[in-house]
Amino acid sequence: MKIEIMEIPRYVIAGQNATEQLPQIFSNAKIGKKGLIITGKNKTRKIAENKVIPNLKGITDVEIHKISHKLTYSILNDVFEEVKNQKFDFVVSVGGGSIIDAGKVISSWMNVPFISYPTSPAHDGISSPAISFLLREEIKKHNTERAKVIRSPLMIIADADIIANAPYRLFAAGFGDMIAKFTAVMDWRLAQRLRNEDYSEYAAAMSLMSAKIVYKNRKIITGGGVAAARILIKALIGSGVSMSIAGSSRPASGAEHLFSHAIDLLSQKYDFKPALHGEQCGVGAIVSAYLHGINWRKIQKALKEVKAPTNAKELGIKSEYIIEALTMAHTIRKNRYTILGDKGISRDAAEAALRATEIID
Ligand code: ZN
């Protein structure tokens, strides 16, 4: 049997009042005396200062580092250079997507444990070894080794009371990222059948479970608040762990993710504002389901129910860019075989598929 190495988060503290469990978990976990907290400048900083730090008093010393939302390689490098000799034992990120990414990257470069404290449920980066596509590409451009070492969190603290206060749009985006696992796993199975790619039944089942949890509970998600936060947290953590088990984002990312990454790339080329990751992946899942020949209406309907975008207009992106994104999606990650095949989808076929699924008019 082939050796498999899995790096899975060791502590997951999820639910209401999760933050209050910190003193005990930190004492038990013995992860060190000195921590670096990475957070944003406004709302997330207040959460760090008023909620997280008081719960760590007396257990560990922390130093706070505020970063802006627009992450670049040079910002990350500056923070790393500043903190690398300060002997931090661990890094905690308190914030949304880019704050989580920053902590994950810097802790990996420092080779110390990472603790993820998400303040929103917008995607599964809170619990996985993955970071934003554009940021990973930028790190790779500067230093491929530095892109390779990025690891999963050791600990995830998902406080439903905190996450419940995130804007509803981020809930709908998280739903989109999770519903996309239906097509991601179909792509993985296809790659196993056509390319004999390694396939983990266990990781696939876990990823699918995340999609099923949000699908089944979509009415609760629509209501927002603590109940919605709890459902999404469960799904996001499951999906993140499925990636840890597989050792790649394979179980959680197929053609619909490539489509979203392609939109992100085009947004730089043509200088437009992309939508949120989960929003783009949700729309990608509609057209991917269509190409797989499964019931795409079911995905479209579920997205509509949670008030997530289902077409170009609702994404706020021109049809022209959506078509181009779909035709170039197969070029984004050469080794990721999906329903788009090696040659991708022709322009005519892309337009037809996007029209058939009501993504463009
Ligand atoms: Zn995703």
Side-chain angles (χ1 to χ4, degrees):
M1 191 185 153
K2 219 178 95 192
I3 295 283
E4 291 181 60
I5 299 171
M6 304 175 192
E7 206 173 80
I8 301 169
R10 185 162 170 202
Y11 301 92
V12 176
I13 305 110
Q16 280 182 275
N17 301 321
T19 317
E20 273 83 78
Q21 307 303 315
L22 280 179
Q24 202 183 343
I25 302 287
F26 264 70
S27 307
N28 294 346
K30 298 191 174 58
I31 57 167
K33 279 272 162 230
K34 194 177 169 200
L36 171 67
I37 295 196
I38 293 185
T39 187
K41 296 215 154 125
N42 303 310
K43 206 176 143 197
T44 54
R45 179 186 54 82
K46 280 196 192 122
I47 295 171
E49 286 176 352
N50 301 335
K51 188 100 180 158
V52 180
I53 294 173
N55 276 295
L56 295 176
K57 256 208 181 108
I59 305 163
T60 183
D61 286 333
V62 287
E63 195 172 291
I64 223 170
H65 210 296
K66 287 160 256 172
I67 55 160
S68 60
H69 277 285
K70 184 90 191 90
L71 267 194
T72 60
Y73 181 83
S74 80
I75 290 176
L76 288 170
N77 196 46
D78 287 350
V79 178
F80 175 67
E81 287 300 325
E82 199 182 318
V83 301
K84 69 176 183 192
N85 294 323
Q86 292 183 45
K87 299 212 162 51
F88 285 109
D89 297 309
F90 60 93
V91 175
V92 190
S93 274
V94 179
S98 54
I99 308 278
I100 299 282
D101 278 358
K104 203 182 286 174
V105 169
I106 288 164
S107 62
S108 300
W109 291 352
M110 289 162 73
N111 198 20
V112 298
F114 173 57
I115 297 165
S116 167
Y117 187 102
T119 55
S120 78
H123 57 75
D124 52 21
I126 63 168
S127 53
S128 75
I131 58 166
S132 120
F133 171 73
L134 289 180
L135 184 62
R136 176 174 287 274
E137 289 302 299
E138 209 198 324
I139 295 173
K140 258 204 272 181
K141 231 188 285 163
H142 285 86
N143 188 327
T144 35
E145 279 312 304
R146 277 188 159 183
K148 272 189 214 151
V149 296
I150 300 167
R151 293 159 61 187
S152 294
L154 173 83
M155 189 187 292
I156 304 156
I157 306 141
D159 193 319
D161 292 319
I162 296 287
I163 293 172
N165 288 318
Y168 180 75
R169 187 183 170 194
L170 303 179
F171 283 68
F175 180 89
D177 195 26
M178 291 302 105
I179 203 92
K181 309 313 174 200
F182 282 127
T183 50
V185 171
M186 289 196 76
D187 280 325
W188 196 10
R189 284 203 193 114
L190 184 71
Q192 188 212 15
R193 289 197 296 264
L194 292 183
R195 291 289 180 275
N196 200 27
E197 196 181 296
D198 284 344
Y199 177 82
S200 156
E201 202 81 54
Y202 191 45
M206 226 174 153
S207 177
L208 271 185
M209 195 171 68
S210 293
K212 286 179 190 159
I213 289 172
V214 296
Y215 183 77
K216 203 175 81 191
N217 292 292
R218 59 198 186 279
K219 277 220 168 67
I220 297 175
I221 291 173
T222 315
V226 170
R230 291 177 73 112
I231 305 276
L232 276 168
I233 289 166
K234 217 190 275 181
L236 298 170
I237 292 174
S239 172
V241 172
S242 80
M243 289 186 243
S244 297
I245 293 170
S248 83
S249 61
R250 209 12 153 156
S253 159
E256 74 300 316
H257 270 72
L258 298 178
F259 168 75
S260 170
H261 300 336
I263 295 175
D264 290 344
L265 273 181
L266 291 178
S267 77
Q268 289 187 327
K269 184 175 167 193
Y270 298 119
D271 197 25
F272 65 87
K273 197 171 177 327
L276 298 173
H277 170 83
E279 294 175 331
Q280 294 176 171
C281 289
V283 172
I286 299 174
V287 67
S288 176
Y290 171 85
L291 296 171
H292 273 289
I294 61 166
N295 187 357
W296 61 270
R297 280 270 181 212
K298 206 171 151 187
I299 294 177
Q300 185 204 45
K301 191 164 165 266
L303 287 166
K304 276 191 202 289
E305 281 170 15
V306 302
K307 299 183 205 74
T310 57
N311 56 47
K313 205 166 168 194
E314 287 165 3
L315 287 174
I317 299 169
K318 280 188 196 159
S319 298
E320 185 51 36
Y321 301 146
I322 296 289
I323 299 166
E324 189 172 340
L326 189 58
T327 56
M328 68 180 274
H330 68 291
T331 63
I332 300 284
R333 292 182 75 159
K334 285 273 155 47
N335 295 324
R336 180 132 311 172
Y337 192 80
T338 71
I339 191 69
L340 296 169
D342 290 324
K343 284 173 102 177
I345 183 167
S346 71
R347 204 193 143 91
D348 290 355
E351 270 194 65
L354 290 164
R355 225 168 248 130
T357 50
E358 298 159 359
I359 295 170
I360 61 170
D361 337 292

